[in-house]
Every structure is written in structure tokens, then in C-alpha cells.
Amino acid sequence: MFIDLHNIFVCLEIKNKVTNDKKLILFGLKSSIFHRLQQEKYCLESMNGVNGPQNGQPHLDHADGQYFLTEAYKVILEEVLCKGTDVKEKVCDWHDPEELSALLDLELREGGESHHQLLQRVRDVAKYSVKTNHPRFFNQLFAGVDYHSLAGRFLTEALNTSQYTYEVAPVFVLMENVMLTKLRSMVGWPQGDGIFCPGGSVSNMYAMNVARYRAYPQVKVQGLWAVPRLAAFTSQEVKYYLCFGGEIPHVHSVEETQDFMQTDLLELLPFLTQGAVPFLVSATSGTTIQGAFDPLDRIADICDKNKLWMHVDAAWGGSVLFSKKHKHLMKGIERADSLAWNPHKMLLAGLQCCVFLLKDNTDLLKQCHCANATYLFQQDKFYDMRMDTGDKSVQCGRKVDCLKLWLMWKAVGTEGLAERVDKVFKLARYLVREMSKREGFQLVNEPQFVNVCFWYIPPSLRGKEGNNDYQEKLSKVAPVIKERMMRKGSMMVGYQPLREKVNFFRMVIISPHISQEDMDFFLDEIERLGKDLYNAL
Amino acid sequence: MFIDLHNIFVCLEIKNKVTNDKKLILFGLKSSIFHRLQQEKYCLESMNGVNGPQNGQPHLDHADGQYFLTEAYKVILEEVLCKGTDVKEKVCDWHDPEELSALLDLELREGGESHHQLLQRVRDVAKYSVKTNHPRFFNQLFAGVDYHSLAGRFLTEALNTSQYTYEVAPVFVLMENVMLTKLRSMVGWPQGDGIFCPGGSVSNMYAMNVARYRAYPQVKVQGLWAVPRLAAFTSQEVKYYLCFGGEIPHVHSVEETQDFMQTDLLELLPFLTQGAVPFLVSATSGTTIQGAFDPLDRIADICDKNKLWMHVDAAWGGSVLFSKKHKHLMKGIERADSLAWNPHKMLLAGLQCCVFLLKDNTDLLKQCHCANATYLFQQDKFYDMRMDTGDKSVQCGRKVDCLKLWLMWKAVGTEGLAERVDKVFKLARYLVREMSKREGFQLVNEPQFVNVCFWYIPPSLRGKEGNNDYQEKLSKVAPVIKERMMRKGSMMVGYQPLREKVNFFRMVIISPHISQEDMDFFLDEIERLGKDLYNAL
């Protein structure tokens, strides 16, 4: 069974307030139908009241507003969700910044616009935006669409509340607690704490805050000058996520082989901090580029021995905990003190959906962050004030990020999410196998995860590894292929250098909507776009 | 003209993949119609394929997903936007946490659920959530709904991208720049910089970071121990927004009369910092409780004299800049170095929509925060890499928060937004006038803004101001009235104590959908709920 969206008609009975006449307005999702109806004078413009300001109060009629929203919904359905997921359509419609600026007319003016104009704007924004739901979008650590999550996101937006008190977010306070408990149980923590954060970097910052506060609670009142100079440790590749514009006194980069921390070296580090007191190790489960997993058990041993807070940045890799087959990658996670995990990445919960989880159950997070704002956290409320969880956050207003994950989970169940994770692992393995059958694809490393990092070596460079200019020429291959795919709109995949390694592609497989055919297309397309290289350059 | 939503029918032609039969499925927005249709066997459950997992890949069919989303959209339209804005419906349907937990069945299980069950969950989440769009919701610094903004939010969610590079967010990079330029021009800065942040507290943190970095750029590489002990100044009431769980070395609270800084006192403060170096003053335009505005010109004089970074937290009050009549409240704002402004508050852009604006045009924000992640900010891209603005943020992934504001602005224009601001000022003045005509309403202060802070004094307490237990008794009035209104669901308004002042109500008028009748209702309802007090207590 499928619903043929090209045949969906929506019939609205429109009542004219003045004449009390009823008219049947018909319009379709498909733009050709829409245009035909416009020609037949059933167009929106002919309707009173949906064409701009009235009564000196621009756009304040609820029915008009809801009508516009419904029209916009249909544009979104058509442009973003139907066309945007259609393999026959472009993943992006590339224009240079100046050209795109001219196409969009972004300027904001004194007067407002008609609903018809505004709908065209909705259509234009959709048209010129990258289709991250498209089966050929492999560019970031998010991709694809889950419609239940999306429904949860629409509902979140319409309800428009802040996740700080039970009073204004009763459902979401309870839901966040259930979500956090469930996610902690997957980590192996029967008790603990946690909060949804606006991004993994904020979760990592929270780990720093809480670790420091546990060691030196006076920091909160007396400031940083009341505590000794502190040192945190992490590996080179992930340092980005720990540099908060000077927030952190010292981030020591641990030298590494592959991506993960050399834990033997880590043992030496107390001697390397130039007098600063080590207080935290941030391990990584799923590095951004290579998808590498630090050996958590070995790091936990060191943290135990040195009484360091063990944080794990599992923003990207955390979702392997769903998979019976692959969760061994995070073996030892239950020994950590805290964890950052972004279900908006592999689980398709939608940006932003990030949790910070702690093993602590002594209310350390709240003690560390609370400011006791009297207008939110009144102490004489008529309900259990422990339900007002907002003071765990350094934010005041906080977006509701739990509903989308909850609704998706209800829809597919833990098993369904596990199947999705297993599926993309399988596809990544398939891609690696297929690469090995083709000339010109060279893996940067054997993938642990769904990041497949590789160089494409065009025929003109093959067998010339010994040449002096080989690395320099190789470094230019990925940028050229990337430009070509963007201008063509056929797919999107990222590239980057990494220390001594010159530019290589990072293919990431995330969406369960992806198939082996998409993997084959990917390899074919890289070849198509790059095979003439150095003939052409 | 209005659209009678209770009469909307949606007709979907459903094609069965196997039999190629077409069935006409009818269902209505009104739940009674929906139930009738269910009884007539036109229910969703009878449709193949929309009832859960198939082919071992749960919920992976796009058409099924889009069908579910459309159904969910209709529930949202009915429950949140029609009922949720209807003055005859409750603003909240209060249940104690245990009871609500039982009603919702939040637990997450191994298996998934049918579309029918999931739609009921969408309906339940809507039903038990607070209706912040309701004309009787006065509880927070956000309220009401703008349908253009909401359309922008739906589009943002469907496009699901991250605001860091032109590559994945071409439209939104350009749009953010246009928005920031426009907002800066309202501040009076022809040049400058800025970024959208997840909340005003994060904007305030950015001000701290940038001010510190300007004064001591070595902080970024060498850490906080490489700079002297620093001191920041703000007024007592707003200290909350500057306490980031120990992030800030010193926050000095400036004593105050009313809400604003006593600037004469501020001049003495360099002598009061116990050796720490003053680096920043954070003034406030629109305090959270009383809506007070600091005298910016006088603070700017002091900052000029002492070479301090002048930040203005205008998260709440910033939108007065739209109003020719009221923007004098922020006179001197153009002299500040930075500004936090949350259009999700008074402008109804929807949570979250917060900007951090700077006067600086030397790229200080990026220099302060950048981490140069190679996989995002490649230096050999084929387009102008200055378009990749994500490195100004301490976040990596960043939610797109500009589109909703942009689309709303396009719809109503600068004039329309100005009218809305003026309208709520007028309503606040009306409310104050009406209060003065009634016994038992005592203002805490004469409002500068749309916060109306007042005590309700029940008949039993009137004339007893001299009694020893008067303040104690008065402090219990607001909590009781609040509990009664919540259990009744008739309206929502906040209360709090403030230093020596016992619990008082903070009425806030935000939504342009509000009328004088709503103000009258508010006063009547406070009287109805509280007039028996101390008879009953």
C-alpha cells in the first residue's frame, strides 16, 4: 500500500464572513495542479482576507494564519519531503553567494507581503536549501528523515514552551526524565542524572563544569582564582569540542596512534602538566572524522587510579549502544562519570537533540549550575518542586528536545532503532568491500564505525606514489571532485586533511533509507567526477 | 472571511499497492467527526501499511511517513492552534506529576506502535501541555503565536540542517547575515558582527568571552592562569544570567534602587574588586521581573572612562527598538559594545530565537571562538570561505534560528512589528489604569515596560498594613491564587518574591492577539480566585 501523493487533493470549505456564502476551494499538492487551479480562478489571491494586513493589525486573524500555515505545510511536504527525498532530484541546487542573494531577495522592509508572495518565499527557501533528507547526502554526521520525529518537532514548535518548570512544561518534564532514565539504562547506569543540551559541545562543557565543581565546589562562589590551575586531557582529533573560546584553562592533547588515546602515554601525563592538577579525561566514542572509539576500559583504569573525572564524548558514536552486535565498541562505558550523546546524529531525531548523562545521583549537576531564580523556582509551589529541572542548566529558557526522540522511539521501538543502526553498519561494510574491488579507492584506515575515509586516486596518479609531487597532487583531487558534485547537485560528501594526511573523503552512512544501490552510485559518481583528473587540472 | 475549521474535511485518495484499488478515506479535524468515521469503518486502522513495521524495516516508507505527518499536522492544528487559542478552552489541564505520568504512558519499549496509537499520543501530548498560545497565558516572557514564524519553524525542521557552512546551509548563512545586519541597524551600528545563540544566557556568555579575549587574547592559548583576576559588574536582579556554574571568575552585584544600576555607586567599584581587574559591565534593558531599563548613557560614560566592555542584556527589552514611541528606554544603546536580544520573547518568533550582536568589525568573535575544524572549514573550498560563519560559535552543530524571524518580518514588515510592540505597551497601560480603579490591587512599582508587578490584597487584609503578620499573610496570597488558577485552568500568571518584597504577581503582556477584554478578565479572575482569602486560609 502506498499513498500516491501526486493525487492528494485537499478540499476546504471556505465560508465568507460577510456573505456567509460557502465556496469550495480546491488545490493540490502538485504544483501543476496548483497552477491549473490558479488559472481556473480558484487561486488563493481571489480569497478575501488572506492577502495581507487588515484592520490595521497585520496578520492577526487566527483562521487566516492557520490557512497560511496549512498552505506552507503543503509546500514543505512537496518540496522538502517529496522532492527532497527523491533520488531523481538534486541534493543541492548550487549558486554562488552573490547569485543566491539576488535570487532570494532577503531584504527586510517596512511593509509586509501577501500570503501568495510569502508562500513563494517558503518554496524558494526550500528549493535553494540543501536536501539533507536526500539519499545522496553524506556530508555531515546527520542525514535522512524520520517522519515520527518530524511530527514531534512540529508539535514541539506549535506548543512553544520552555523546558524549565513542571508548571509550563508538565508533559516534557516527565518525558525528559523518562528519556534520560532509558538512555542511562543503555549506558548501564541504574541511577544518575542528565539533561538535554543545545549541542554536544555544550554537553562537553557541562562535563568540565561538573568535574571541576566536584573537585573544587568553592569555584562556584569564589571563582576560578580560588582553585588550582587545572588540566584536562583529550586526544588531538577531538580537541575542537573542548575549546570554548578560552573557557578551559588547559586542554592537553594526548598524542595518539590512529585516533584513540595512547593510554600508556596518558599514564605519564600527570608529569607533563607543568604544575597544573589533572581533573578530567575526555575520551571519545566515535571521532568526527575517522569514527574511532577510544578504549574506555583502559582509560577508566587510569581515571580510577588518578581520581580523574572520566567523560566520554559519544555525541556521534553513542548510538552503537542500541546494537547488540556493535556495542562492544563502547565496552567500559558504564565506568565513565559522564557522557555526551547526540541522537540527532545517527538516530535521525533531528537537530538539535543532544543529551548529557551523568552517573552521579547526588544532584551535582543542579548544585553546580543552579542560580535559584525566584521567578521560576519558587519554593512555595503547590507541587513537588523537584519537578522543576531547569536549574540544572546554564540556560534559562531551554528548547524542548525530548519529544521528537520519544515519539520516534514509541513508533519504531528499541528494536527498530537497533535494526537501523545495524543496517548502516552493514552498508558501510558493503561500501568498503565494493571499494576493494575497484581500482583507485584507497582506505585511510579500516573503519571501526560507519565513517569510511578514503582517497580517490585518479588513473593519472596511480602507481606514482613515489613521485615528489604525488601528495600535493593527491591533496587537490577531493576539492575538485567536491566542487564538481556540488555544481552538478548529484551528491554531497565531505573531505578534509588530518595531520600529515592530505585531503581525503569522509563518507558517512547514517540514514536507514539508504540502499546498496546508493553505495554503488556513490562509487560510480566519484569515478565519473574524478577519473579525468590531472588530465584536466 | 474566515475558514471554519470545524467544517474542514480532507479527502485523500488512497491507492492500494497490491490491488491497485482506490478507496476514498475521509476524516475530519474535529474529533467527533473522526470518531464517527472510525465507527463507519473508514478508520485508519483499516488501511494496510500504515499500521506499523513492514518488511523488517520499521516505518521506512516515505509515503506512509508523509501520511502520518499529515495526520499529525491536523491534530496539531486542531488541538494546539484551534483549541489552544480558543478563549473558551482551558489554558492548562492540570494534573499532578504521578497522575499525568499514568495518563501518558511514557515508557519506551522494545516494539513499536501503530500509527493510530501514535496519533493518539500526539493528541495526548497536545492535550496535557500548557497552551502558551492561549490569550490567557501570561506566565513567562514568551506567549502567543505568529503563524508565519511557525511556518518558518516547520520549514526549518523539515530541512534539518546546521548553521555552520555555506555548503550545507546556503540560504540560512545569507539570511542570518541579513537578519543580523538589520537588527544591528536598529541598534545604530552601521557595521559589526553577531550570531544566533541558543538562549540569552549563551549570548551573555559570549559577551564575557569576547570582552576577556579583547583585553587578554593570550587567554585562548594559555588559559585563564595567564590573565589577571577579572571582575564583571551587573545589577542584583539579573545576576542569574551571568552565573554559568562557575564559569565567571567574579560577578559583582551592583546595589540598586528600583532595578537599575546606581551609576554613581558604579563609579566607585574599581576600588571594590579586591584587586581584580574590571573588564565588563553588563547593563540590562528589560529586567525579567520588573521590566526595568538601566540608564545606558550613564553606564556608557563610566565604561568609556574605565575602558570597560559594555554589554547590554536586552534579551527581553530589545524589541522596544521597533517602537518610535518607546525606544527612548534604550537611549544610548549605540554606545554599547555588545547586545543580547531574544526575538522569541516579545516578537513571538518562537523558542529559540536569540541574537548576540557586536559593534566590533575586526572579527573578534571568530578569533575568540574559532577552533578551525578541518572537516568543516576547509581552506581550499571553491567558494568564499568567509561565508562559513560557524566558527564564530562555541557550538559545532547549530540550529537554524533565523528563518522563523525572517519569514515573520517579511509577512508583517518592520511597521507591523512596531505596531505589535506599541499595542502591548498600550494594553499594559490600560491594565494599570483599570487596576487603579479597583480596590485591592497595589502596584509594586510604576511599570516602564509591559511587566505589571502587583500585589492583590484580599478584602480580609485591606487596611491591616500595620499588623505584624501582614507581610507574612500577604506572601501567601499569590501562591494560593496561582494554585487555584492552575487547577481551574482559567489563566496562568507568575509570581515571585524580590529581595525584601514578599510574593507579588508579575503580569506580562506580549501577544498582539490579546485584547482589553482579556485584561478585564484577568482582573476579574484574580478577584474571583482571591477575594475569600484569609477567610478560607
Side-chain angles (χ1 to χ4, degrees), chain A residues 77-102:
Chain A
L77 200 59
E78 179 187 3
E79 293 291 332
V80 184
L81 300 171
C82 292
K83 282 197 203 163
T85 58
D86 184 348
V87 78
K88 297 186 294 297
E89 301 278 342
K90 286 182 173 184
V91 65
C92 65
D93 185 359
W94 175 265
H95 296 274
D96 290 313
E98 301 69 31
E99 195 187 356
L100 184 56
S101 284

Side-chain angles (χ1 to χ4, degrees), chain A residues 56 167 241 247 375 419 482, chain B residues 56 167 241 247 375 419 482:
Chain A
E167 190 176 316
Y241 302 101
E247 287 304 297
Y375 58 92
E419 275 176 40
K482 177 65 179 263
Chain B
E167 190 175 315
Y241 303 101
E247 287 304 296
Y375 58 91
E419 276 176 41
K482 177 66 179 262

Side-chain angles (χ1 to χ4, degrees), chain B residues 23-26 34-47:
Chain B
K23 298 194 270 185
L24 195 66
I25 306 291
L26 285 169
F34 184 72
H35 289 143
R36 183 164 54 74
L37 289 167
Q38 279 190 307
Q39 286 156 7
E40 290 170 16
K41 311 278 185 216
Y42 284 113
C43 67
L44 299 176
E45 288 292 295
S46 70
M47 292 162 58

